[in-house]
Amino acid sequence: MIGFATRRLLQAMIVMLVVAVLAFTMFRFVGDPINQMVGIETSIEEREALRERLGLNDPVAVQFFRFATKAVQFDFGTSYQFRQPVSDLFAKRIPATLELSFTSALFALLVGIPMGIYAGLNRESPISKLFLSLSLVGISLPTFFIGILLIFLFSVTLQWLPSFGRGETVQIGSWWTTGFLTVSGLKALILPSITLGLYQMTLIMRLIRAEMLEVIRTDYIKFARARGLPDRIVNFRHALKNTLVPVITITGLQLGAIIAFATITETVFQWPGMGLLFLQAVQNVDIPIMSAYLLLTAFMFVAINFIVDILYFLIDPRLRVGRP
Amino acid sequence: MYKKSFVLAAALLAAGTGSAAKAETLKFAFQGALNALDPYSLNETFTLSALGNTYEGLTRRGPDLQIEPALAESWEILEPNRWRFHLREGVKFHNGSDFTAEDVAFSVERVRSEGSDLSTRVPADMKVEIVDDHTVDFVLSSPNPILHYEWDTFYIMDKEWTSENDAVKVTSASDTSVNHAALNANGTGPFKLVSHEPGVKTVYEKFDGWWDEPKHNLDTVEFTPIGSDATRVAALLSGEMDMVYPIPVQDIKRINDNQGTSAMTGPELRTIFLGMDQMRDELLYSDVKGKNPLKDAKVRKAFYQAIDINAIKTKVMRDLATPSAIMISPLLFSRSDEFERHPYDPEAAKALLAEAGYPDGFSIGMDCPNDRYVNDEAICQAVASMLARIGVKVNLNAQPKAKYFARILASGNYDTSFYLLGWTPGSFDSWNVLDNLMNCRDETGKGSPFNNGGFCDPQIDALTDQILVEIDPEKRDALIAEAFKISHDNAYYIPLHQQSLAWGVSDDVNVVQRADNQFKFRFVTKN
């Protein structure tokens, strides 16, 4: 067990290193940060001095080493555009992203599971077919398009919901802000979480439907029905329970994806979270923010994979066979 | 009964004078964010525009950009080298402290200190002499008729507040920590800052102690940056925003058709133009080897005459552009109407090319930004296809501004043969154009750093020096006209047009659209 975990940990660290190198070298090609930091009439000498002070004239290897040694101490440097520590900026933006991700995951589960169950139990009904074709739309349309569609329908035409931002937020403690406690905050959550969660919702729905179809064909369901148990008990206590295992696994993994890929949704809805910060950073060639964001995202995925691996190891005895 | 009617009368009076209980809030969005609030950190239109609502300069500019007294009531030139500014009395900063000559002297020092991005606002060797609390003399080493032209965005800071809060040093672009002035503001302007969350939201509130009679009727102003074009337009259409800018030209009709909103368009000061490498002996990106065809005025003129500017105006810009014959907006130069574009004439262009020794044309690489100016990439594509008609094959390389500017400016060693650029003179004066774009330069950019093509005409250089110190406006304008004429005759640049501003505005608000694209709350009234 210890050996397995250590090996996995070592692999994870190598992955992180590779991501860091990739992230760092990639930014050589994004453009020159200096032009975004000063006005156009700033003299060439001043630009050069600035470049020198920021260490942009050093060899890439030196810059990377500086970046990496600081990053392992959770120091991601200072943002070029905001001139504040990147870690502070992230701390301020994380609540918005987490609340949005949490809400959209909840939306995906609360809507996806019932739809999946229904479609699984009544596979021939027209409503099931409607669900299936709708889910195709959800999977095939790009996120930004769905977002803009929703904005034009619910904000511009019907004027029910806001088209951008978080609405009013409430400060909790010194660093968490929440939109859950105000009406405008809750309203502002609706469109972006649908946009962000739509893909996951359709995924869950299709997964549940397939699993349900599988399970209701099994013998123990047939026996349960033969024993005269009511449909409700059979469907929900026996069938549904057994479909949930893969759903939980997928949902856990997808949660990471939701957080990491909230970028587009946040941009469309001007949602002041990490993703928006990242995209603004790309436009302004704010290298410290970009590097830190990619590193954090990679870290999240590596961590989730690591935990999943360990869990599988604990659950599945076959993995232990033949390993010292 | 008596008491009651008194209250009623008071209420009526209050309603009559416009200070009714209804609080007017202006909500507006811009495509970019307001990052640092230090007024000397970034010389960029939007930043200066936003800060100009809380801070003020000695002068300010009105709706038509004319210079008006602001913190200075008047000024005079005592001797050619000595300017005297009479400061307004009774002006208070937002924190309550008095505005005095000390603050002006302090601001002059701070704006030209290391790390300031606005050091060009005052000459480096200018001396400040405080005559009394409300009189300041500026002593120059040589006459400068446009000393105060850029002072509407040289904002005066409170010496005490800045010192007390340990913010004397300007937050420069390379600083690793922000000082107090970058996240807070203490100006004399019509609005004071309530809260500022960089990249998310900034809230202002009317400053009751403002020295001027407010023409606006706003109580609070909320600014949100909205990066996505579609969302910004949607926020206006849905009524969540009173004003958004800029709006994409293709959405103008939609905004006008929508009930309750309209698009405001007008000429911007920025001139969009094409530049050509006239410095290297061989072009970097061309199939002509051993020589540089663009050194030949005939070739440049052929390029010029091959461009159908009206087609660009109507097809690419949807009529939101004003074709231009000179390198400065006609609004900024009194004699601009004397200039006319070289006419569009592909046949003449072909003849000129043949005369220059390129009857079959040649190929050339062109660099173009795709996210900086209105329809920039589309303009370049149009130019490419027009040049193709005279046999010049253009290999277009359009890229995001972050990469584009890194390449074509001095920092990229002017790595271009043919490029598109836009220029607004920060001082609203032609000298700025000549000094930045039209003088000789060396490889490192010494001279005119933004003369990317590197052409060198000693006559223009000499004129530029004269213009700098000529005080008589008429003589000065004649010199400017002469310099522009040389550039025009030699086709050193190909000016294209002034692009238009496009703002989306709700019918509930009246705003003033200034040609410098600055949005001032003090001109806004809300119904």
Side-chain angles (χ1 to χ4, degrees):
Chain A
M1 169 70 199
I2 305 282
F4 178 77
T6 325
R7 261 200 314 279
R8 278 278 183 255
L9 209 60
L10 215 65
Q11 282 172 359
M13 278 160 73
I14 292 171
V15 169
M16 287 302 291
L17 191 71
V18 171
V19 169
V21 171
L22 277 179
F24 200 79
T25 43
M26 213 176 74
F27 300 135
R28 310 282 102 205
F29 304 103
V30 180
D32 181 12
I34 303 293
N35 284 306
Q36 320 297 319
M37 297 166 74
V38 296
I40 189 141
E41 288 176 38
T42 305
S43 75
I44 285 156
E45 293 81 38
E46 282 172 53
R47 285 165 193 254
E48 206 35 60
L50 185 56
R51 195 183 302 278
E52 190 61 44
R53 282 203 298 277
L54 289 171
L56 291 169
N57 285 336
D58 299 338
V60 178
V62 174
Q63 291 188 46
F64 176 72
F65 185 71
R66 201 163 46 215
F67 166 74
T69 44
K70 280 189 174 168
V72 289
Q73 306 162 45
F74 292 101
D75 176 2
F76 298 105
T78 309
S79 151
Y80 291 165
Q81 39 176 343
F82 299 111
R83 282 141 219 183
Q84 293 177 45
V86 173
S87 36
D88 287 6
L89 287 168
F90 279 7
K92 259 184 229 157
R93 299 294 189 99
I94 277 176
T97 296
L98 287 185
E99 287 192 354
L100 175 63
S101 310
F102 177 75
T103 315
S104 35
L106 207 67
F107 157 77
L109 287 174
L110 291 185
V111 181
I113 293 178
M115 273 170 83
I117 295 171
Y118 183 86
L121 292 178
N122 314 286
R123 59 181 307 188
E124 293 305 323
S125 96
I127 299 180
S128 304
K129 285 180 179 153
L130 183 75
F131 283 172
L132 278 183
S133 29
L134 275 182
S135 76
L136 256 187
V137 175
I139 285 182
S140 50
L141 282 183
T143 314
F144 74 89
F145 188 72
I146 292 174
I148 286 172
L149 220 61
L150 289 176
I151 288 178
F152 271 90
L153 184 60
F154 291 101
S155 305
V156 176
T157 312
L158 298 170
Q159 306 209 345
W160 289 348
L161 297 166
S163 57
F164 70 91
R166 280 183 88 187
E168 294 202 12
T169 53
V170 177
Q171 185 88 27
I172 298 180
S174 59
W175 59 285
W176 191 274
T177 53
T178 181
F180 285 148
L181 299 177
T182 62
V183 177
S184 72
L186 289 172
K187 276 170 104 176
L189 264 167
I190 298 175
L191 293 186
S193 28
I194 291 178
T195 309
L196 183 57
L198 201 61
Y199 180 81
Q200 272 69 30
M201 188 208 90
T202 46
L203 199 71
I204 289 170
M205 185 207 123
R206 291 185 157 246
L207 197 69
I208 296 251
R209 175 180 170 273
E211 289 288 328
M212 280 296 257
L213 290 176
E214 190 87 357
V215 170
I216 49 180
R217 274 202 300 267
T218 53
D219 289 342
Y220 71 90
I221 296 293
K222 285 179 189 156
F223 279 126
R225 285 198 201 286
R227 267 165 51 207
L229 287 176
D231 271 1
R232 197 171 47 83
I233 304 269
V234 175
N235 289 343
F236 290 93
R237 194 167 296 170
H238 292 85
L240 179 64
K241 237 185 192 175
N242 285 291
T243 65
L244 283 183
V245 182
V247 173
I248 290 166
T249 317
I250 294 285
T251 313
L253 284 175
Q254 287 292 322
L255 188 67
I258 287 185
I259 297 174
F261 301 124
T263 316
I264 296 167
T265 307
E266 290 190 2
T267 311
V268 171
F269 288 94
Q270 197 67 26
W271 189 264
M274 308 260 293
L276 185 64
L277 187 70
F278 174 70
L279 265 194
Q280 285 171 345
V282 172
Q283 276 157 7
N284 292 307
V285 202
D286 199 332
I287 295 174
I289 290 186
M290 286 193 282
S291 326
Y293 182 82
L294 286 194
L295 220 52
L296 274 186
T297 314
F299 178 75
M300 207 171 60
F301 276 97
V302 168
I304 289 174
N305 272 315
F306 179 71
I307 293 167
V308 167
D309 277 351
I310 297 293
L311 285 180
Y312 281 163
F313 188 85
L314 292 177
I315 292 163
D316 193 342
R318 281 172 298 179
L319 280 175
R320 280 172 245 172
V321 178
R323 284 173 189 265
Chain B
M1 188 65 213
Y2 170 79
K3 226 176 181 176
K4 249 184 197 166
S5 57
F6 177 76
V7 172
L8 192 71
L12 281 174
L13 199 71
T17 51
S19 55
K22 193 177 148 207
E24 297 290 6
T25 302
L26 170 79
K27 292 182 179 180
F28 82 103
F30 177 69
Q31 66 179 359
L34 175 61
N35 293 334
L37 294 179
D38 191 320
Y40 308 151
S41 275
L42 181 61
N43 184 7
E44 179 251 347
T45 304
F46 178 72
T47 306
L48 295 177
S49 165
L51 291 173
N53 296 299
T54 43
Y55 283 102
E56 287 173 306
L58 292 177
T59 67
R60 68 181 185 191
R61 284 182 190 260
D64 297 323
L65 297 177
Q66 72 281 17
I67 296 176
E68 295 175 351
L71 290 182
E73 263 176 333
S74 63
W75 50 90
E76 58 202 314
I77 304 178
L78 294 181
E79 305 153 24
N81 288 1
R82 178 181 288 268
W83 288 55
R84 174 160 290 181
F85 272 72
H86 301 281
L87 307 180
R88 196 175 295 277
E89 294 188 31
V91 173
K92 297 264 185 207
F93 282 97
H94 295 162
N95 66 349
S97 60
D98 289 313
F99 160 70
T100 64
E102 284 286 339
D103 298 318
V104 176
F106 168 78
S107 297
V108 169
E109 275 325 302
R110 193 173 187 270
V111 80
R112 62 184 173 195
S113 66
E114 201 195 311
S116 163
D117 197 30
L118 280 85
S119 50
T120 52
R121 289 293 188 272
V122 290
D125 51 2
M126 184 182 85
K127 290 193 179 60
V128 184
E129 289 177 9
I130 296 175
V131 180
D132 61 45
D133 261 5
H134 292 95
T135 315
V136 190
D137 280 5
F138 299 108
V139 187
L140 306 167
S141 54
S142 61
N144 180 355
I146 56 164
L147 177 70
H148 62 310
Y149 268 38
E150 289 183 79
W151 285 9
D152 57 310
T153 50
F154 161 34
Y155 300 126
I156 303 299
M157 298 179 77
D158 181 8
K159 183 182 178 182
E160 280 177 294
W161 179 80
T162 317
S163 316
E164 273 167 19
N165 289 300
D166 207 14
V168 175
K169 197 183 163 298
V170 178
T171 310
S172 85
S174 65
D175 279 346
T176 48
S177 62
V178 280
N179 70 32
H180 192 74
L183 292 174
N184 299 276
N186 178 40
T188 54
F191 290 86
K192 56 185 182 186
L193 195 78
V194 178
S195 66
H196 173 60
E197 209 182 325
V200 181
K201 196 179 194 180
T202 307
V203 181
Y204 305 83
E205 184 184 272
K206 181 176 75 170
F207 175 45
D208 289 320
W210 192 37
W211 54 269
D212 198 6
E213 187 68 36
K215 296 208 170 53
H216 69 84
N217 63 348
L218 304 173
D219 297 298
T220 41
V221 178
E222 280 180 32
F223 161 64
T224 314
I226 300 185
S228 151
D229 281 342
T231 311
R232 200 162 56 247
V233 170
L236 175 75
L237 295 178
S238 66
E240 292 164 89
M241 284 285 167
D242 298 311
M243 186 272 189
V244 300
Y245 79 115
I247 49 173
V249 275
Q250 51 274 16
D251 284 335
I252 286 178
K253 192 178 172 313
R254 197 191 150 78
I255 289 170
N256 280 329
D257 289 349
N258 181 54
Q259 207 185 354
T261 57
S262 56
M264 263 181 109
T265 57
E268 192 185 352
L269 297 178
R270 177 174 282 122
T271 304
I272 305 290
F273 60 89
L274 301 174
M276 296 157 280
D277 180 3
Q278 298 155 59
M279 194 176 198
R280 293 186 179 89
D281 290 325
E282 184 183 299
L283 288 179
L284 293 176
Y285 306 100
S286 170
D287 60 356
V288 180
K289 296 296 162 200
K291 56 181 172 173
N292 178 348
L294 294 175
K295 283 193 178 201
D296 189 338
K298 288 189 187 112
V299 176
R300 297 196 299 269
K301 219 176 259 175
F303 274 35
Y304 196 138
Q305 295 204 280
I307 294 169
D308 182 355
I309 196 70
N310 282 319
I312 292 180
K313 180 190 167 192
T314 52
K315 298 279 168 10
V316 180
M317 302 299 289
R318 305 196 190 198
D319 276 325
L320 286 172
T322 322
S324 177
I326 49 170
M327 292 292 289
I328 190 164
S329 160
L331 296 173
L332 301 178
F333 180 46
S334 62
R335 296 176 61 169
S336 51
D337 51 354
E338 292 167 22
F339 291 85
E340 228 172 274
R341 287 181 61 86
H342 297 294
Y344 165 60
D345 188 344
E347 288 313 311
K350 259 190 209 159
L352 279 167
L353 269 190
E355 235 177 278
Y358 306 96
D360 304 320
F362 54 89
S363 82
I364 188 167
M366 180 183 195
D367 295 290
C368 191
N370 60 17
D371 59 351
R372 180 65 188 90
Y373 310 112
V374 179
N375 294 343
D376 37 16
E377 188 178 354
I379 297 171
C380 290
Q381 278 165 353
V383 167
S385 65
M386 287 163 185
L387 287 178
R389 274 181 242 154
I390 64 162
V392 175
K393 186 176 174 296
V394 174
N395 302 311
L396 182 59
N397 176 22
Q399 39 191 340
K401 59 174 188 271
K403 286 194 71 81
Y404 176 73
F405 287 116
R407 179 170 174 187
I408 66 146
L409 297 182
S411 52
N413 295 320
Y414 302 108
D415 184 15
T416 182
S417 297
F418 186 33
Y419 62 94
L420 176 131
L421 197 66
W423 192 265
T424 312
S427 60
F428 301 152
D429 179 77
S430 306
W431 183 77
N432 170 292
V433 177
L434 293 165
D435 185 51
N436 278 298
L437 298 177
M438 295 204 184
N439 278 206
C440 305
R441 67 157 172 86
D442 62 12
E443 281 81 11
T444 63
K446 229 176 186 58
S448 278
F450 299 98
N451 179 358
N452 298 352
F455 71 84
C456 181
D457 192 318
Q459 262 184 296
I460 295 186
D461 284 26
L463 285 165
T464 309
D465 292 342
Q466 275 176 275
I467 292 161
L468 179 63
V469 296
E470 178 56 63
I471 289 186
D472 183 70
E474 216 161 293
K475 276 192 209 157
R476 191 170 183 271
D477 280 359
L479 294 171
I480 294 170
E482 203 183 327
F484 281 154
K485 182 148 189 329
I486 296 170
S487 166
H488 174 79
D489 290 347
N490 292 291
Y492 287 137
Y493 281 113
I494 305 177
L496 295 176
H497 55 237
Q498 270 81 44
Q499 62 186 31
S500 287
L501 297 174
W503 296 5
V505 185
S506 147
D507 292 350
D508 288 342
V509 292
N510 297 304
V511 310
V512 166
Q513 184 178 50
R514 275 192 356 193
D516 61 352
N517 207 17
Q518 289 208 22
F519 178 47
K520 298 289 182 199
F521 312 155
R522 67 186 164 95
F523 297 129
V524 178
T525 53
K526 197 168 175 189
N527 305 333

